[in-house]
Amino acid sequence: MMEDNSYRPIVGVMPRDLRMQCQAWLAATAMLVLGAAMLVLPWNTLVAVPVLMLAAACLGEEGQLDGFPRREDLLLMAVLMFHGMVWLAVPLAHGEGLVGLYDAWPLWLAVATLTAFAKVRMTPAWLWAGLALGGLGAGGWALWQRVYEGLARAHGHEPFHAILFGNLGLLTGLLCLGGLSWSFARQERWPWSLLLIAGGLAGLVASALSGSRGGWIGLPLAIWVLYRGHGRRLTLGWRVVLTVALLALVGGLYATPQTQVAQRVDNAVSSLRLYMAGDDEMTSVSARLDMWKGASELIAERPLSGWGERGYQTAMRERGAEGEQDPKLGRFWHTHNDVLDAWVKRGLPGLIALLALYATPLWLFARGVGVGSGERRALAVAGTLVPVTFIDFGLTYSFLAYPAGGLIYALLIAVLWGLYRQAR
């Protein structure tokens, strides 16, 4: 019987050296896209990351690398899958059809990305380069929108707006600073360190020029994570330089009237005081507090099953019609708080899925902060910063209610964990 050679896998057709070179370029491109597409490119460009990683995996060697999957890999994939399944199943149970698929697919793409690391080994340099370029691009774009276009708040690409753009700019900047343990451990420490510091500061500038105040609440905790990862190993001189640079940047942004940072902070404080004094004027602060109150009362009525997407909006409009809250709040489709949004719409399963999505990567990465090689510490710091910042962002805005927010969160976790497992 003659052997049929009409089909031969690509692994058997391409020479090994060419295959490994193509794999390396595909993986490197995926990392650069991940760093840049968060802010500089349209967010749906991020879909290229799992596509490129799976294509790179197809060029991998036979067998698996590093015993993939381990228990931690399975746990992380299970949490991502569970979150997506809850986001899909609960709307179905409420008779809302497949509307939940819109929020579920980003989590499942991240699972595919993590699976690709079974056959793809790469240096994290491409990720750090992408993040630094993304931070610089975001900072430059924010300056362009504020200075040249004369916008009141930098907002980036549609459908992004100032809150999403500013908080993701802050995240990008912090992740760049998280990579300093890696850059300090390299022979080319100065070029890489300066690039990451520049990207970090530019990301902070993008956040400030967006006027998004919610993300600033968690800055002290994020700085503490950075210190745990880097501070104890930096010389006194480096600690002084970085501290002075950060204080000068924050102070300069606050003191410069054109940035409107001081005005935004003062408005938030005065709005909170008016609300506590019983003033009925609708502000961004009072609107959030009233939405949280309304969502909490709705949760108390249906803590297990939730109200569903449409049911929540209908219930909020009814509360406005009955005089229990300002009728204008009925036009908002999320609660401006991720925990409340998950619970009020998807009940107890939604709350559990969201808390697991936060806690699992936090537990996996936080164990490596401050220990191990510079490469591992940098990835652990960055991996810890992602859930820390998203928890912070989710306090005053429903970040994960947007597919872009879910995709960015899940892809960053998957990629950072894949690289962390391979780091020595």
Side-chain angles (χ1 to χ4, degrees), residues 9 23 25 62 74 79 145 152 169 183 192 215 239 259 262 269 282 290 292 294 309 337 345 352 359 369 393 409:
Q23 184 191 61
W25 279 111
E62 293 294 331
L74 293 173
V79 166
Q145 289 190 322
S183 65
W192 277 108
R239 295 186 195 184
T259 65
V269 174
M282 179 65 68
D290 280 342
W292 298 345
E309 294 278 353
N337 180 285
K345 293 178 181 177
I352 294 173
V369 173
F393 301 158
Y409 179 86

Side-chain angles (χ1 to χ4, degrees), residues 369-383:
V369 173
V371 298
S373 66
E375 181 177 333
R376 284 182 65 85
R377 278 188 286 114
L379 293 167
V381 168

Side-chain angles (χ1 to χ4, degrees), residues 306-326:
W307 290 78
E309 294 278 353
R310 298 170 190 163
Y312 164 73
Q313 295 179 61
T314 300
M316 289 293 281
R317 285 193 290 267
E318 289 177 353
R319 286 176 57 83
E322 295 170 1
E324 297 180 16
Q325 63 186 32
D326 193 310

Side-chain angles (χ1 to χ4, degrees), residues 11 30 77 101-102 106 151 194 228 245 257 274 335 363 381 399 410-411:
V11 173
M77 289 191 291
L101 188 61
Y102 188 62
L151 299 179
L194 291 176
R228 287 292 305 273
L274 289 173
T335 67
W363 174 71
V381 168
F399 231 68
L411 281 181

Side-chain angles (χ1 to χ4, degrees), residues 87-88 91-92 95-104 309-310 346:
W87 257 237
L88 177 63
L92 280 171
E96 297 175 345
L98 296 175
V99 65
L101 188 61
Y102 188 62
D103 299 308
E309 294 278 353
R310 298 170 190 163
R346 297 170 178 86

Side-chain angles (χ1 to χ4, degrees), residues 61-82:
E61 298 285 353
E62 293 294 331
Q64 296 178 325
L65 297 177
D66 297 332
F68 185 93
R70 298 175 184 169
R71 285 182 298 177
E72 292 90 346
D73 306 319
L74 293 173
L75 175 61
L76 186 55
M77 289 191 291
V79 166
L80 292 170
M81 290 296 296
F82 176 65

Side-chain angles (χ1 to χ4, degrees), residues 150-175:
L151 299 179
R153 299 174 65 182
H155 58 71
H157 276 294
E158 297 291 346
F160 273 12
H161 47 70
I163 297 176
L164 293 174
F165 179 80
N167 284 346
L168 290 176
L170 176 62
L171 171 62
T172 303
L174 292 172
L175 291 178

Side-chain angles (χ1 to χ4, degrees), residues 110-185:
V111 174
T113 304
L114 182 57
T115 304
F117 276 91
K119 290 190 176 183
V120 178
R121 180 179 291 277
M122 73 182 81
T123 171
W126 294 106
L127 175 63
W128 299 124
L131 289 170
L133 293 176
L136 290 168
W141 196 2
L143 284 169
W144 176 272
Q145 289 190 322
R146 286 293 303 275
V147 176
Y148 182 79
E149 297 183 10
L151 299 179
R153 299 174 65 182
H155 58 71
H157 276 294
E158 297 291 346
F160 273 12
H161 47 70
I163 297 176
L164 293 174
F165 179 80
N167 284 346
L168 290 176
L170 176 62
L171 171 62
T172 303
L174 292 172
L175 291 178
C176 288
L177 298 179
L180 289 176
S181 288
W182 170 82
S183 65
F184 283 138

